[in-house]
Amino acid sequence: MSDKKPNDLKSMPDDHGHFGIYGGRYASETLMFALEQLEKTYNTLKETAEFREEFDRDLAHYVGRPSPLYFARRLSETWGGADIYLKREDLNHTGAHKVNNTIGQALLAKYTGKPRVIAETGAGQHGVASATVAARLGLKCVVYMGAEDIERQKLNVYRMKLLGAEVVSVKSGTRTLKDAMNEAMRDWVTNVDDTFYIIGTVAGPHPYPQLVRDFQAVIGREAKRQILEQTGALPDALVACVGGGSNAIGLFHEFLNDEEVDIYGVEAGGLGIESGQHAAPLSVGRPGVLHGNKTYLMADENGQIMGTHSVSAGLDYPGVGPEHSWLKDIGRVTYVDATDQEALAAFRELTLVEGIMPALESSHAVAYAKKLARKMGKGKRIIVNLSGRGDKDVHTVAAIDGLEI
Amino acid sequence: MKRIESTFGRLQEQGRQALIPFITCGDPRPEVTLPLMHGLVEQGADILELGIPFSDPMADGPAIQLANERSLSHGTGLKDVLSIVREFRDTNTNTPVVLMGYMNPIEFMGYENFAFQAQQAGVDGLITVDLPPEECDVLLPILSDHQIDPVFLLTPTTSKERAARILSYCSGYVYYVSLKGVTGSNRLDVADVAEKVAAIKALTDLPVAVGFGIKDPESAQAVARVADGAVVGSVLVNKVGELQNSETREIVTQVAGIIGQMRTAMDQR
């Protein structure tokens, strides 16, 4: 089933939330009712003009869309290869692509009348975006975050608290994003009557991978229109970083049927794939079941989920959205990796050459784009998704430089 | 006849209810599990639920998460769980053993390989917390080929239509989760449970066991009045955790002792 390629690659998932053999709804029975209710609500609402207009209006006037597609002339000249265009999701309100999705899910929470929202977060971008929309709508917000990530991302933790959210430190397991997701699911099972779970990426049980994708797909729709306006042609390649994979799917989805566009997803290579210290399930993992969906995972031979490593807390996740697993198997998207070192070098280079400080997540995409640009050569065009800005990562980089801020 | 069915049949003739302890395999150390299983049976357990340790038990509360972490610190995997059941069968051929866990270890072993080895080891049933009927099309026929009963959970949020559908896939017994929330949560409303169990019994001939919130002899007795069985988990697992540095014999005595008291209360009702 997984190797069968439908004519329309944008038509997935099927009615049961499957992308080939991936996705689905591997959830405990207590949650099945809430998932069915969410699916029904979403399917009804997304067809209504009222919902779509409200979403578009919020994106325009609150998020600040459309985000620019910026031709990075100096960077392209420095690299000496293909022309680099940056999709500037870093310019969104709250500083990352995450807000596109939280705006959408907050609308669903509003329409379903749930007064409390919960979220999990790694780098804190999704937590900040959730706390932001909750503040705007007057909803109570609880954010689960791994104890280790709280340490790495103090700035975002404080932002969430200023926004009125309660940040819960998760000390179980590896104390990172996957454990925050476990804890958020426990909360949801317990408080399912009055609580809406805002999942931050294109993973989790159906319909989350689909609805998060739909909310993020605005990135690719804009990028396609903008590149056509600016160059009169489609790009030759797309590059985006992949942790859970929501910014990547957001950019890729509109282009899936455009076969002449090569698509690259960049996973966190950490200390190097051969070191085992990385977060690259599509590069070296295998299919399994975690957090409500079937997808590629990093696990040992007993099926125990492994600890991961990335300099970027936002990519430090042992799974990936199920649509990516399917796109890998059918060969539509090529998944590669960039190491911590390569990402840090890209962070510095983009900052110095263009005056744009990318999030460490996005820096992985920039790092791979450099290699690709040289390989593809002059005259080709690459769109790189700049999923977020690097303010939150400055103290991580400073610490690597031996500075205390 | 399958072991679970014959066990409930015998209990029904005696007018008694099944006492079903849950322990996590390999907790706190692998060598404790086998003597603990025998100890629980000696103290009156009718069916044993044995947890397959998993790194991310997201439907369980802190007590069982910690139990999993203790077990995993010794590297206990699904293969070890199956070999412990095989050893248990060397001396006990009557007491049903039901494995309970999450899908990923089974996915990684492979469905066919798992079902074959589980049958060889003497496993009678399987509860997979994160496998709803929507996703069970592939696994269920394989379990059936190997005479392993798929036991499903029903919860307070399960609609009547869904319950009927789940029951059509279920065999052995049905597990009614008495409250929303994760394992180890607090409240148990017996009147509400009685109503829900009656509603389930109107839909099926399968025995109904109730779990979540049974902490002491009184709650076990109360559940025994309204259901065919009582599943006891967190209170045992907490006790194992308290005694994790004690000798095996001490752990078995105290943990099985909890079951002994519940047995007495249930049989006196």
Side-chain angles (χ1 to χ4, degrees):
Chain A
M1 187 154 70
S2 63
D3 49 7
K4 189 169 148 265
K5 208 165 164 176
N7 294 327
D8 180 5
L9 298 182
K10 292 164 70 180
S11 65
M12 296 297 234
D14 66 18
D15 290 344
H16 305 288
H18 294 127
F19 301 87
I21 62 166
Y22 301 105
R25 191 175 273 169
Y26 293 82
S28 65
E29 179 59 26
T30 306
L31 292 179
M32 294 304 284
F33 170 75
L35 292 166
E36 283 174 358
Q37 189 189 42
L38 175 61
E39 181 186 16
K40 205 181 287 176
T41 306
Y42 176 62
N43 284 339
T44 309
L45 280 176
K46 74 175 180 185
E47 302 302 330
T48 67
E50 186 194 354
F51 181 79
R52 287 210 299 259
E53 280 163 17
E54 188 169 357
F55 180 57
D56 289 344
R57 206 161 50 234
D58 283 354
L59 288 183
H61 301 295
Y62 191 69
V63 176
R65 303 203 70 91
S67 69
L69 182 73
Y70 168 69
F71 173 43
R73 187 182 303 278
R74 281 232 315 149
L75 190 71
S76 306
E77 283 168 5
T78 306
W79 286 355
D83 287 341
I84 303 296
Y85 290 80
L86 301 175
K87 182 59 176 162
R88 299 290 307 274
E89 293 301 298
D90 59 314
L91 293 178
N92 291 341
H93 182 50
T94 74
H97 71 290
K98 294 287 187 186
V99 72
N100 303 323
N101 168 48
T102 55
I103 285 281
Q105 290 198 48
L107 277 182
L108 291 176
K110 188 174 96 172
Y111 277 92
T112 47
K114 304 264 170 99
R116 179 175 180 268
V117 296
I118 55 172
E120 84 295 328
T121 196
Q125 286 170 315
H126 175 60
V128 167
S130 298
T132 299
V133 296
R136 177 172 174 249
L137 295 178
L139 305 171
K140 184 174 163 40
C141 179
V142 178
V143 179
Y144 291 91
M145 192 164 179
E148 186 180 321
D149 292 336
I150 284 184
E151 198 48 44
R152 291 199 270 191
Q153 296 290 341
K154 286 180 187 152
L155 178 64
N156 272 340
V157 172
Y158 186 55
R159 287 169 79 194
M160 286 181 255
K161 287 180 178 166
L162 288 174
L163 288 159
E166 179 192 343
V167 181
V168 179
S169 173
V170 177
K171 299 191 175 73
S172 57
T174 61
R175 304 152 75 100
T176 59
L177 180 55
K178 80 171 173 72
D179 307 287
M181 197 149 177
N182 293 336
E183 213 56 47
M185 286 205 169
R186 287 179 182 138
D187 181 315
W188 199 30
V189 170
T190 309
N191 302 295
V192 64
D193 289 333
D194 73 346
T195 297
F196 190 99
Y197 181 12
I198 304 184
I199 290 187
T201 192
V202 285
H206 177 63
Y208 281 102
Q210 178 187 1
L211 70 87
V212 175
R213 182 217 43 214
D214 291 351
F215 292 144
Q216 293 292 3
V218 63
I219 301 172
R221 283 198 302 273
E222 283 177 11
K224 188 185 242 183
R225 198 185 68 227
Q226 290 165 324
I227 195 90
L228 287 170
E229 279 168 11
Q230 292 178 31
T231 72
L234 288 175
D236 297 289
L238 307 175
V239 183
C241 66
V242 178
S246 69
N247 90 85
I249 282 288
L251 176 65
F252 299 168
H253 200 254
E254 181 64 23
F255 294 92
L256 288 179
N257 291 332
D258 301 316
E259 284 181 19
E260 63 273 40
V261 181
D262 293 334
I263 306 182
Y264 298 89
V266 188
E267 296 193 296
L271 303 179
I273 295 292
E274 64 291 340
S275 73
Q277 299 288 303
H278 55 78
L282 289 167
S283 303
V284 291
R286 53 176 278 197
V289 172
L290 180 69
H291 293 151
N293 58 163
K294 182 176 277 194
T295 192
Y296 275 85
L297 297 175
M298 285 174 54
D300 68 15
E301 74 278 6
N302 286 322
Q304 309 300 346
I305 307 303
M306 287 170 19
T308 49
H309 167 81
S310 171
V311 69
S312 161
L315 298 184
D316 208 354
Y317 182 64
V320 63
E323 191 165 8
H324 287 291
S325 296
W326 176 69
L327 291 169
K328 172 191 160 74
D329 280 8
I330 63 168
R332 178 64 187 97
V333 177
T334 305
Y335 292 92
V336 294
D337 75 281
T339 64
D340 288 353
Q341 287 302 333
E342 290 169 328
L344 285 162
F347 172 91
R348 294 178 200 278
E349 188 164 26
L350 184 57
T351 303
L352 277 174
V353 176
E354 292 284 356
I356 296 172
M357 200 175 286
L360 284 177
E361 290 87 340
S362 319
S363 300
H364 287 73
V366 177
Y368 186 76
K370 181 173 184 172
K371 292 184 196 172
L372 187 65
R374 289 179 169 167
K375 200 163 80 185
M376 291 177 78
K378 285 189 190 304
K380 301 286 186 180
R381 288 171 304 272
I382 302 174
I383 296 179
V384 182
N385 206 25
L386 218 58
S387 56
R389 63 175 169 248
D391 307 30
K392 70 181 172 55
D393 296 315
V394 166
H395 82 266
T396 301
V397 177
I400 289 166
D401 285 341
L403 298 173
E404 181 122 1
I405 294 180
Chain B
M1 195 191 283
K2 293 200 238 176
R3 263 188 291 256
I4 296 175
E5 193 182 344
S6 60
T7 297
F8 275 105
R10 172 176 54 79
L11 286 165
Q12 199 176 17
E13 279 170 23
Q14 297 168 344
R16 298 165 71 225
Q17 288 72 36
L19 178 53
I20 311 175
F22 166 92
I23 55 169
T24 299
C25 191
D27 172 31
R29 308 178 289 275
E31 67 270 20
V32 175
T33 302
L34 187 64
L36 184 52
M37 290 169 79
H38 288 304
L40 291 165
V41 173
E42 278 162 27
Q43 290 295 319
D46 300 296
I47 296 173
L48 298 176
E49 284 185 2
L50 193 57
I52 305 164
F54 182 50
S55 52
D56 292 75
M58 63 226 167
D60 286 294
I64 288 174
Q65 161 112 32
L66 289 171
N68 281 292
E69 288 178 9
R70 289 190 294 268
S71 175
L72 289 172
S73 72
H74 298 276
T76 317
L78 182 48
K79 274 181 239 142
D80 306 300
V81 175
L82 294 174
S83 71
I84 286 171
V85 177
R86 203 174 300 120
E87 266 187 88
F88 177 73
R89 283 281 169 255
D90 287 344
T91 50
N92 182 322
T93 53
N94 292 324
T95 308
V97 175
V98 176
L99 300 187
M100 182 166 191
Y102 294 79
M103 277 310 287
N104 203 50
I106 296 168
E107 291 275 338
F108 270 50
M109 183 175 274
Y111 294 175
E112 189 65 52
N113 186 15
F114 163 74
F116 173 76
Q117 293 200 40
Q119 183 184 21
Q120 294 293 307
V123 169
D124 302 283
L126 176 69
I127 304 171
T128 44
V129 184
D130 55 352
L131 188 78
E134 280 79 357
E135 305 291 347
C136 73
D137 290 0
V138 182
L139 180 60
L140 238 48
I142 296 173
L143 292 181
S144 166
D145 287 349
H146 293 89
Q147 278 79 52
I148 295 171
D149 288 316
V151 175
F152 281 92
L153 308 182
L154 296 179
T155 74
T157 60
T158 310
S159 68
K160 194 175 163 191
E161 295 70 30
R162 248 192 99 71
R165 182 168 165 211
I166 293 171
L167 290 164
S168 73
Y169 291 113
C170 195
S171 65
Y173 60 100
V174 191
Y175 187 146
Y176 178 66
V177 173
S178 62
L179 40 89
K180 293 172 204 168
V182 293
T183 49
S185 309
N186 252 322
R187 310 139 286 164
L188 179 73
D189 180 343
V190 179
D192 183 57
V193 169
E195 200 178 299
K196 291 286 172 34
V197 170
I200 296 166
K201 287 183 129 348
L203 298 170
T204 182
D205 294 331
L206 287 172
V208 181
V210 171
F212 283 37
I214 299 170
K215 285 192 162 358
D216 47 32
E218 292 70 37
S219 48
Q221 190 179 50
V223 163
R225 289 205 178 95
V226 299
D228 303 304
V231 183
V232 182
S234 295
V235 64
L236 304 181
V237 169
N238 275 329
K239 183 56 85 178
V240 173
E242 250 173 61
L243 300 170
Q244 56 181 298
N245 297 317
S246 306
E247 284 178 23
T248 300
R249 192 217 297 247
E250 179 69 10
I251 299 174
V252 172
T253 305
Q254 292 214 31
V255 175
I258 297 172
I259 286 300
Q261 289 175 9
M262 290 185 177
R263 176 85 272 166
T264 307
M266 282 167 69
D267 289 347
Q268 274 173 352
R269 68 180 190 82

